[in-house]
Amino acid sequence: MKVFVGNLSFDADEHDLEALFAEHGEVERASLARHPRSRHSRGFGFVEMPDPGEATRAIEALNGREVMGRPLTVNESQALGADRRRAKGRRRRGV
């Protein structure tokens, strides 16, 4: 299951994110969204956990929990639909 993690401290890195979720089960992958040019964190990321039960428990335990001075927003990641992808592309091109 892929989990969205928002409102992350800009000082957090992938290792911090992985360690946080590893308290609740096996973590397959942890990644941060980064600005394409500067490579600075954008304040959110994703964690992939192979066991949906462990992922659900992690969401319940971590949503709203304060980490590095910020309350996290944690929920199941939603796939970006075709309509949102098209709209996002138009915004980027200024259309």
Side-chain angles (χ1 to χ4, degrees):
M1 175 187 281
K2 191 170 188 178
V3 179
F4 168 82
V5 186
N7 203 35
L8 285 166
S9 167
F10 294 108
D11 294 326
D13 63 19
E14 285 84 355
H15 299 292
D16 296 324
L17 194 54
E18 183 174 353
L20 185 64
F21 276 78
E23 296 173 12
H24 304 282
E26 181 185 349
V27 174
E28 204 167 70
R29 182 172 181 232
S31 61
L32 291 177
R34 296 189 178 274
H35 188 276
R37 291 187 198 127
S38 69
R39 302 303 299 155
H40 290 121
S41 170
R42 295 178 68 189
F44 69 93
F46 298 92
V47 175
E48 294 177 38
M49 300 179 79
D51 183 326
E54 289 177 350
T56 299
R57 286 189 291 280
I59 290 168
E60 291 169 359
L62 297 173
N63 188 41
R65 180 172 157 187
E66 191 169 308
V67 176
M68 298 177 128
R70 300 182 74 156
L72 298 180
T73 300
V74 184
N75 52 48
E76 184 175 352
S77 178
Q78 302 297 312
L80 192 59
D83 292 340
R84 285 194 52 204
R85 278 194 298 265
R86 275 196 297 278
K88 186 177 177 182
R90 281 195 298 270
R91 279 194 301 267
R92 233 182 283 145
R93 292 189 297 265
V95 175

